[in-house]
Structures are given as structure tokens and as C-alpha cells.
Amino acid sequence: MQKIAVYCGASTGNEPAYADATVALGTWLAEHQLELVYGGGGVGLMGLLAQTVLDHGGVVHGIMPQNLYDRGAAHPGLTDLEIVPNMSVRKQKMLAYADGCIALPGGPGTLEEIVEAFSWARIGDNDNPCVFYDVNHYYRPIQDMFQAMVNTEFLTQADFDKLGFFDSLPKMLQFMENYEPPLIRQYTK
């Protein structure tokens, strides 16, 4: 692994643990020579993550839609910033550049991006491991929802096991390094 896509909030949330985990992740990425691929923002957890990676000598690639760039959302000091037409292109490029995906706490956009990455893995369009960084059990309800999908047979246990939920960076790295994409479902007529 060389590049990690990280999805996270454009705000910091209301618990210091979210910012603390973001700093820990940014430091960890830089120490492991893992380049950050993210949405290019300079605010909230996004800005904190990028600045932490940069402060520790790491490399940060931002990919931002034109409309957000025009509103001044970009971090000013990234290694590089690519401006794209819209969010759909941003998500595709982030997956194409990255070797793994991590979701820090965030809002609907964060959730949508990591779930889409996992969904694409299940159909063969994303070979990257997808991990929820479960800070203070933030993603526990999502983990329970995926378990409900297994229980109701909308998701196989084998595929659910390909989705990581961790509050430990070493366990997250081990999961990502040992990851094998889900088997691609075959359909018969």
C-alpha cells in the first residue's frame, strides 16, 4: 500500500476524541510513508488531517469539485490539488488513486463515500480494503446495520467480513495489508 483515501467530516464534531483520532491517523499515515488522498478541504477534520500529514513530512493529494473550490473550501498548502467537475468524478478518482479507504467520523458525505467504495468492491470495481475508524463507537450503528443485512440475507457474511471496523490503527493496518477483495458474484439465467 502506498496511498490511502480518507473520508471525513468538514467539521470537527462535538467530541475532542474525533480531532485526537484524526491527528493520530495523520501522524500514522506519515510515519508509515502512506500518502493521503482526500477531498482537498481545509476545514474540519479534513483540514486537520491534511495539515497533520504535512506537518509530519507526509504527502497529501487533494481532489475537489469545482463548486467547492470556488467557495474557498480548499486547503492552501497541499502537495497537489486536482480540481474536478463534480463529486462523482472526485469519488472515482480517489478510488483510482488509492490502495485503501478509511472513514473517520463525518456526516452523510463521509458515510456515502465509504459505503459506495465498499459497494463497488462487491461488484468488482474497487480492489481496495474499506475500513471504518470507529472512534468512540461512532460507527457502531452502521456496523449493526450491516449485520442486519447479513441476518436478513441481503449481504453475505463473507462479504461483511471484508469490511473493517476498528478503533486501533495497528489492527486497521493489519486488516488492510491482509485484505483480499470479495469474490465477484456470478449470475446465472
Side-chain angles (χ1 to χ4, degrees):
M1 284 193 307
Q2 296 178 340
K3 296 179 183 173
I4 303 294
V6 178
Y7 310 109
C8 56
S11 68
T12 57
N14 62 3
E15 292 186 31
Y18 304 142
D20 293 345
T22 301
V23 169
L25 178 59
T27 303
W28 179 81
L29 288 170
E31 288 175 350
H32 287 85
Q33 290 85 46
L34 296 169
E35 298 177 14
L36 171 62
V37 178
Y38 87 121
V43 298
L45 296 183
M46 293 178 76
L48 179 60
L49 177 65
Q51 193 59 53
T52 300
V53 173
L54 292 168
D55 288 347
H56 287 85
V59 175
V60 180
H61 307 280
I63 304 171
M64 179 172 278
Q66 183 71 53
N67 65 337
L68 293 179
Y69 181 78
D70 291 345
R71 292 189 300 200
H75 188 291
L78 304 179
T79 307
D80 58 74
L81 177 64
E82 181 177 354
I83 307 303
V84 297
N86 55 53
M87 288 294 286
S88 293
V89 174
R90 175 176 109 170
K91 292 185 292 183
Q92 289 174 336
K93 285 188 175 272
M94 285 180 68
L95 280 178
Y97 294 163
D99 303 306
C101 305
I102 298 172
L104 275 162
T110 301
L111 181 59
E112 182 236 349
E113 288 178 299
I114 191 70
V115 170
E116 183 174 279
F118 177 63
S119 177
W120 287 10
R122 294 186 65 233
I123 61 171
D125 290 341
N126 172 28
D127 289 337
N128 301 332
C130 296
V131 176
F132 288 87
Y133 191 0
D134 195 21
V135 180
N136 281 0
H137 308 289
Y138 182 79
Y139 283 117
R140 185 56 193 253
I142 301 301
Q143 186 175 9
D144 291 344
M145 183 67 228
F146 276 104
Q147 185 60 59
M149 291 177 194
V150 172
N151 296 345
T152 54
E153 298 182 3
F154 287 105
L155 176 67
T156 65
Q157 184 65 52
D159 282 0
F160 180 46
D161 292 342
K162 300 291 184 178
L163 184 60
F165 289 86
F166 299 101
D167 62 0
S168 158
L169 293 172
K171 288 180 183 177
M172 188 182 307
L173 181 61
Q174 181 180 16
F175 174 86
M176 294 177 89
E177 287 178 337
N178 295 317
Y179 177 79
E180 292 183 23
L183 295 175
I184 305 306
R185 182 177 175 183
Q186 301 299 315
Y187 300 90
T188 57
K189 294 184 179 190

